[in-house]
Structure formats: C-alpha cells, structure tokens
Amino acid sequence: EVQLVESGGGLVQAGGSLRLSCAASGFSFDDYDIGWFRQAPGKEREGVSCISTRAGSAYYRGSVKGRFTISSDNAKNTVYLQMITLKPEDTAVYYCAAGRPRWLTMNPSEYDYWGQGTQVTVSS
C-alpha cells in the first residue's frame, strides 16, 4: 500500500522556522519525484517545491526561493522541506505527493500519490 505521511507542521510566528517531513512507503522511492504543495483556504493548490530523488535536482516557486530548502534522504524514504523566515502568507495545509512525470514539475496533475497534509500557520 502506497503511503505518504507528512509531519512537522504547526503554529509559528512570522520569521520563524519549521521543517516538514514526508515519509514514503509502498513504492520504489528512487523512481519517483516528490513534490510539496500547499493550499490556503479559498485558494487553489499550488506547487511549492519538488525534487528528483534520483538526481537530486529541485525546483522552487518564486515566493519561497531562498527561504525553503527541499532535500531527500533516500535511505529513509523521506523528503524534507526546511522553511525559514516564514511569512503569514505561507499559512496553508502542506501536502507531499509522489509522481513520475516526464520531467520535474510542480504541476499537481502530474503526481499520483498524495499525503493527508499538515497544517502550517504563521502568525503576524
């Protein structure tokens, strides 16, 4: 059974930090790209960052570049999203997802498996 389990969310003040984890099981981790997505109330789900677990290449949306860092520990089948200098506009439910797109992308439709999400709330 494929499972993606996010953890690490919480309430933090603006300027603070959090590290999200995405623990994967039930599929060949090295063969999949892992993406982090977020969805705020009343807004569409958007890509935050993604990583090729095989190649290590990564992408970020512009608003998080320099503040968020994605990394993969293939021995643990886990992807992390380190978030620093958090802003109130980062508040959302954060999801990780696994997929095998033709090329690394933050398009949610290219991802097959999704976790349940973890809430991140940044207070001003």
Side-chain angles (χ1 to χ4, degrees):
E1 179 188 5
V2 173
Q3 279 195 317
L4 294 167
V5 180
E6 303 97 335
S7 61
L11 173 63
V12 65
Q13 288 187 329
S17 302
L18 286 172
R19 188 178 79 156
L20 305 183
S21 299
C22 172
S25 61
F27 61 95
S28 181
F29 187 75
D30 292 359
D31 289 339
Y32 281 75
D33 297 337
I34 303 293
W36 281 100
F37 301 83
R38 65 188 181 188
Q39 188 166 19
K43 295 188 177 181
E44 291 189 356
R45 189 169 297 189
E46 62 183 21
V48 176
S49 181
C50 56
I51 188 168
S52 166
T53 58
R54 182 180 296 273
S57 51
Y59 289 156
Y60 300 90
R61 72 180 297 108
S63 61
V64 308
K65 280 182 180 178
R67 300 190 298 121
F68 291 11
T69 303
I70 193 170
S71 61
S72 176
D73 185 338
N74 289 17
K76 296 182 178 180
N77 285 6
T78 300
V79 169
Y80 304 97
L81 186 68
Q82 177 69 50
M83 308 185 294
I84 66 171
T85 321
L86 282 160
K87 304 176 181 180
E89 50 264 43
D90 294 318
T91 295
V93 177
Y94 282 69
Y95 302 88
C96 67
R100 300 180 67 179
R102 293 181 64 184
W103 49 78
L104 192 58
T105 177
M106 290 193 290
N107 182 348
S109 66
E110 296 288 342
Y111 288 79
D112 304 309
Y113 307 116
W114 290 80
Q116 293 300 306
T118 185
Q119 176 71 47
V120 171
T121 303
V122 185
S123 63
S124 57

